[in-house]
Amino acid sequence: TAGDAVELLNIDVSSDESVQSAAEALTAKLGTEKLYGLVNNAGTGIMHNTPPTEILDTNTRGPRRVTDHFLPLINQDCGRIVNLGSGGGPNFVKSIPNNEDKQRFLEPMSESQIEDEIKNILNTNDGRSAYQGSKALLACYTMELANEHPNLMISIVTPGYIKTAMTIGAGATKEPHEGTVSIKKALFDELPSSGWFWGSDGLRSPLHWMRSPGEPEFDGVVNL
C-alpha cells in the first residue's frame, strides 16, 4: 500500500470554486516546495450517460481549470503536465469531411477558439461527438499550453480502452494497471518534444487517425 505517500485532495474539475479551494489547500501544504508533475485524469462520457454539456465541461475545460490554478505550484525548471486523452480524439478528427476543418484540430488552439469549437460540437447534441470532440480539443489545448510554457514538458496520452465505470458494458478489455504505460512515459522518460500525443503503448501517435498498439510509431508526417 502507498500509506503516507499518498494524500487525497478532493476536486470537482467542473467547479472553479472547488479547483481554487484545492489549489489553496495544496499551496498551504507545500509551503516553499514545488510539484514535479500534474496529471489531468478526470473525465466523463461513454457509459456514464452524461449530457454533452457536462462531457465537454469536464473533459475539455476541466484540465484548463486545474492547470490554471495549479501551474504556479509546478517546478518551472523540470515540471511536467500530462493530459489524459483518448483514441476517440483522433477518430473525431478523422471523421471531419473537410480537410481545412480537419487541419484546425491538428494545431494549437486558444481558449476562445476552443470555446467556438465547443459550441459547434454542442449543436450536434450527440454524446459520442461530445466525448470524442472533447478529447480532440484537449489535444489542441495541450499543444497551446506547450507553446506557452517551453520550460515544462507537457504531453497528452491515451491510456487505452481500460475497464472502468466509464466503459463498463462497452467492450473494454484492459485492466486499470495496463493503462499506465503512456502516463509513466510522459511523466518520467526523456522525451524528444513537448506537446506530443503518446499512444497506450508509449509510442508517438497521430491526432488525425487512431494508431493501434503494435502499429508503427507516428513519424510526424501528416497526409490529409
Side-chain angles (χ1 to χ4, degrees):
T1 61
D4 293 338
V6 174
E7 288 190 34
L8 180 64
L9 186 66
N10 284 313
I11 306 177
D12 176 0
V13 302
S14 67
S15 165
D16 290 325
E17 292 77 13
S18 175
V19 175
Q20 180 177 346
S21 176
E24 290 172 352
L26 187 57
T27 299
K29 178 75 176 180
L30 288 174
T32 59
E33 291 185 70
K34 292 294 183 181
L35 292 178
Y36 168 73
L38 170 67
V39 179
N40 285 307
N41 185 53
T44 189
I46 312 179
M47 303 307 288
H48 281 167
N49 295 317
T50 41
T53 51
E54 186 175 337
I55 292 172
L56 284 150
D57 194 39
T58 301
N59 297 358
T60 304
R61 296 192 187 106
R64 181 186 292 277
R65 284 191 189 96
V66 174
T67 301
D68 284 349
H69 283 88
F70 282 75
L71 195 57
L73 302 179
I74 296 175
N75 188 318
Q76 296 301 304
D77 295 323
C78 64
R80 299 201 176 194
I81 298 174
V82 182
N83 292 325
L84 266 289
S86 164
N91 278 338
F92 177 87
V93 178
K94 184 179 180 180
S95 71
I96 298 173
N98 183 289
N99 282 348
E100 184 176 339
D101 292 336
K102 198 174 283 190
Q103 183 65 40
R104 291 206 311 274
F105 284 85
L106 305 181
E107 299 172 353
M109 286 191 193
S110 66
E111 184 173 7
S112 62
Q113 288 173 315
I114 288 174
E115 287 300 320
D116 287 342
E117 297 297 342
I118 285 176
K119 291 175 185 175
N120 292 335
I121 294 169
L122 287 176
N123 285 337
T124 69
N125 195 32
D126 178 69
R128 181 182 179 86
S129 293
Y131 178 76
Q132 294 188 342
S134 74
K135 296 300 186 177
L137 289 172
L138 183 59
C140 296
Y141 166 63
T142 301
M143 291 184 283
E144 178 76 4
L145 192 64
N147 286 345
E148 292 174 352
H149 301 279
N151 291 338
L152 302 179
M153 185 60 71
I154 301 169
S155 305
I156 180 167
V157 307
T158 174
Y161 203 32
I162 309 301
K163 290 194 287 186
T164 66
M166 192 165 69
T167 60
I168 189 168
T173 58
K174 290 187 175 183
E175 297 296 331
H177 72 272
E178 297 179 86
T180 64
V181 174
S182 57
I183 300 171
K184 289 187 289 188
K185 180 187 181 81
L187 279 175
F188 303 119
D189 282 12
E190 291 293 329
L191 302 179
S193 184
S194 189
W196 285 8
F197 178 45
W198 300 98
S200 62
D201 55 358
L203 297 183
R204 188 185 180 190
S205 295
L207 296 174
H208 59 301
W209 55 274
M210 191 176 77
R211 176 194 156 272
S212 297
E215 294 181 347
E217 186 167 21
F218 178 51
D219 60 6
V221 177
V222 176
N223 294 309
L224 297 180

